[in-house]
Amino acid sequence: MTMRMTRRSVLAGGAALLSYSMLASSALSQEARLRMLWWGSQARADRTNKVNQLFQEQNSGVAINGEFLGWSDYWPRLATQVAGRNAPDIIQMDYRYIVEYARRGALAPLNDYLGSVLKVEDFDKVQIEGGSVDGKLYGISLGANSAAMMVNTVAFEEAGIDLPTPATTWDDLARIGAEITKAGKRKGFYGIADGSGVEPLLENWLRQRGKALFTADGKIAYDANDAADWFAMWAAMREAKACVPPDIQALDQYTPETSPLSLGKAAASYAHSNQFVTYQGINKDKLALSNFPLIGNDAKGGHYRKPSMFFSVSAQTKDPELGAKYVNFFVTDPKAAEILGVERGVPESAGVREKLAPTLDELGRAMLDYVSGLGALAGDLPPPPPSGAGEAEFALRTVAEQVGFGQLDVKQGGETLVNEVTQILSRG
Amino acid sequence: MAAVQDSAVAVGAGARGRPAGQGRFAAIWTRHGAGYMFLLPWLVGFFGLTLGPAVASLYLSFTSFDLIRSPEWVGTANYVRIATADPKFAASLKVTFLYVVLSVPFKLAFALLVAILLDRGVKGLTVYRAIFYLPSLLGGSVAIAVLWRQLFAGDGLINSLLAQFGIEGPSWISHPDYSIWTLVVLSVWQFGSPMIIFLAGLRQIPTDMYEAASLDGASKFRQFYKITLPLLTPVIFFNAVVQTIEAFKAFTPAFIISGGTGGPINSTLFYTLYLYQEAFGNFRMGYASALAWILVLIIGLFTAFSFLTSRYWVHYDD
């Protein structure tokens, strides 16, 4: 359903079918066929398909069938395919789900191919470890990203306010937000999006306080006081009209298209750096990337460089070595890198990064600069989220709405959130 | 099915005296084989796509199943959790009941009103019927739900209209106090199929009754109350049962309008949406199966209750 059909693609499909049937004998004699599945936009699909073509040209006898869906359709589809013993050979995997899939035996360990088929020696060590579960490698990072604020530069300029800097604190942001709203240059326009239900933002704020979302053994790593402070900070911003009111924030389905920034309701919103291209594509005004605010002038940043997504090889595949070969091509081949750019994040291979840098456009450049320029704002990679993390994120969102709409006060909100997350994690 | 069984019995009777077994089967096959072949697509569909999965889900409801590993038998644990430790179950049930109680009566009343208006010998009746039926055909679709989302958004058409009268409307779909109403209105708007059935029912009422009543000086309202409504009760009953079941099963509009979250604050968390979240969001297929069977039970109870009470208010003209 998310496969976009245009007249051209139908024609192309028809033509492909025709040539396929004419070459049926040779197609059937293909030695190997790889199926792959990923989530993402049409732009990502175009890039990926081009790389697949390149791989097929260099490896005669290999056919790659790629398919893509939107994020929320992707996980049900993947789970059903794995359950039906019909999993794709190459699976795009997220940091959030890699532990679940690996522990349930759905992914093939790739350690045996390291050094031979997989040549990832010049990868950031931390990022390789990010794809490991219980000491085995299950995913190769396709690029690094970090959480980021997307800022509408035009709206800031209109209100006569400077863009946020790496030194901007939460107090600054609250003041800036209120000023933009007060400037009233646009109808129904506010300073910033209400981030009280945005998990990466809460995580960043917690890390600055020396806490985290989850412990390494999969328990909650903050307490009701932390959560109450968090909700209180946002309640104050709501009060001061620094951020959008709750009924506008509730429109946000945490996709680029529905964020208050893209809906034209706020001058700043929260996302991940590799989504910058998508955000800019749907926003007329020029956007900029900025880090999340600091909790105090001398605070250390709560950011980290995160594997934006992985390629994993299915445990059900007939030819794991070919799978590993494909993944290696995808992350190390210079021509592939040129096609892919930084759309899936900043490449992990130092060599690829070096060759790629001069070929990037302005957007790609901004992403590369942002992720590599985080400096002291970036800390250690937290352990992969435990099972139930998706549900916990959902709980944060619901409780944040309850506080936003005034059904709970900030203290009750803090207690409710911690109770619910604790329960969810204990269920696993 | 009954007809098929009857004729099979008839064949058995006709073939009396012949040895049972192979010959008998062959005889049935010669006479009715073609019929069964025509039934085959339905049989395959029924057993493969309805009965089979239903039995499988009953089994799964007693297991813990994450879609990836094999199901693990947990006995009644899923049902125990539903009954004792699942606030979201209660929340989703509340939303669903609210939706059923609001949408079904409004929808039926509206359908009856339009049917009566159309019954008054409007010219080009078939055209109107088609037009009024159209929303019901489109209503369950994703496109209409997306349209609805835009109509009722903060800066959507509805609020633009309200602004003409100086009223500043809230963001209907994203405020927990109003979001359910947008879904109720969407449901009422799809009044087409009960309307068509009402229309057919109205056509069955003999006109001489109305003539006699007006000769006796009964007002239009009294005629409606004393003649139309009682004679229409079987149709009302049918529509009420069907629409109640439909309302319990509603999924698409809530899924689209809330983006699959059931938000804000679970205000559009329909039962089926929660079931979907558990199954495909949290990979708890066993638990979701148990939820599904609870829904079957609830709908069954409601339908049985309707049938039991129907004898007190449904009048059959015989």
Side-chain angles (χ1 to χ4, degrees), chain B residues 6-166:
Chain B
D6 286 348
S7 54
V9 171
V11 171
R16 192 178 299 155
R18 269 208 254 149
Q22 196 74 36
R24 192 170 146 182
F25 178 79
I28 294 175
W29 182 251
T30 337
R31 285 190 63 180
H32 301 289
Y36 283 110
M37 287 311 286
F38 276 114
L39 268 178
L40 197 61
W42 183 86
L43 288 171
V44 169
F46 177 72
F47 287 104
L49 300 174
T50 307
L51 197 63
V55 171
S57 97
L58 185 60
Y59 163 72
L60 287 177
S61 75
F62 294 102
T63 65
S64 167
F65 179 37
D66 61 13
L67 270 176
I68 298 170
R69 283 178 294 201
S70 330
E72 185 189 329
W73 186 263
V74 294
T76 55
N78 289 330
Y79 291 96
V80 170
R81 194 191 137 203
I82 290 174
T84 57
D86 188 356
K88 270 192 140 181
F89 165 73
S92 69
L93 210 54
K94 204 177 116 193
V95 172
T96 306
F97 276 133
L98 191 67
Y99 176 74
V100 170
V101 167
L102 292 176
S103 75
V104 175
F106 276 124
K107 187 182 195 169
L108 292 188
F110 196 61
L112 182 56
L113 182 75
V114 176
I116 288 172
L117 292 178
L118 284 184
D119 189 40
R120 297 276 156 86
V122 194
K123 266 189 198 159
L125 175 64
T126 44
V127 177
Y128 283 110
R129 257 197 323 235
I131 290 173
F132 283 124
Y133 193 71
L134 212 56
S136 295
L137 290 177
L138 301 170
S141 73
V142 171
I144 291 298
V146 170
L147 176 76
W148 219 251
R149 195 179 151 79
Q150 293 186 347
L151 279 180
F152 282 94
D155 44 10
L157 185 66
I158 301 293
N159 279 349
S160 307
L161 286 175
L162 286 177
Q164 301 288 319
F165 301 99

Side-chain angles (χ1 to χ4, degrees), chain A residues 270-291:
Chain A
Y270 323 97
H272 280 97
S273 56
N274 66 312
Q275 294 176 303
F276 190 50
V277 174
T278 309
Y279 268 89
Q280 185 62 76
I282 54 178
N283 276 277
K284 277 190 208 123
D285 294 339
K286 189 175 180 322
L287 303 183
L289 278 169
S290 175
N291 59 285

Side-chain angles (χ1 to χ4, degrees), chain B residues 96 99-100 103-104 107 187 190 193 239-251 270 272 299:
Chain B
T96 306
Y99 176 74
V100 170
S103 75
V104 175
K107 187 182 195 169
S187 149
Q190 299 160 38
S193 81
N239 271 339
V241 169
V242 170
Q243 292 305 322
T244 306
I245 293 174
E246 288 296 312
F248 269 117
K249 285 166 29 188
F251 173 76
F270 282 15
T272 48
I299 294 180

Side-chain angles (χ1 to χ4, degrees), chain A residues 72-73 75-76 79-80 82-85 97 100-101 103-106 246-248 250-253 258 263 265 390-391 394 397-398 401-403 405 407 423 427-428, chain B residues 65-69 81 85 87-88 149 153-155 170-171 173-177 255-266 276-278 280-284:
Chain A
S72 54
D73 297 327
W75 296 102
T80 347
V82 171
R85 304 268 130 209
Y97 288 102
E100 299 199 25
Y101 275 86
R103 291 227 174 110
R104 288 165 189 178
D247 61 335
I248 289 181
L251 290 170
D252 191 352
Q253 294 168 3
T258 58
L263 292 178
K265 305 284 187 193
E391 237 183 320
F394 215 72
R397 188 187 158 147
T398 307
E401 282 176 348
Q402 283 176 298
V403 176
F405 281 109
Q407 290 186 0
Q423 256 184 33
R427 261 205 310 274
Chain B
F65 179 37
D66 61 13
L67 270 176
I68 298 170
R69 283 178 294 201
R81 194 191 137 203
K88 270 192 140 181
R149 195 179 151 79
D155 44 10
S171 181
I173 51 165
S174 61
H175 196 292
D177 295 346
F255 182 77
I256 302 295
I257 283 180
S258 72
T261 62
I265 324 183
N266 297 337
Y276 174 86
Q277 283 178 3
E278 280 292 294
F280 291 106
N282 304 328
F283 301 134
R284 280 197 278 266

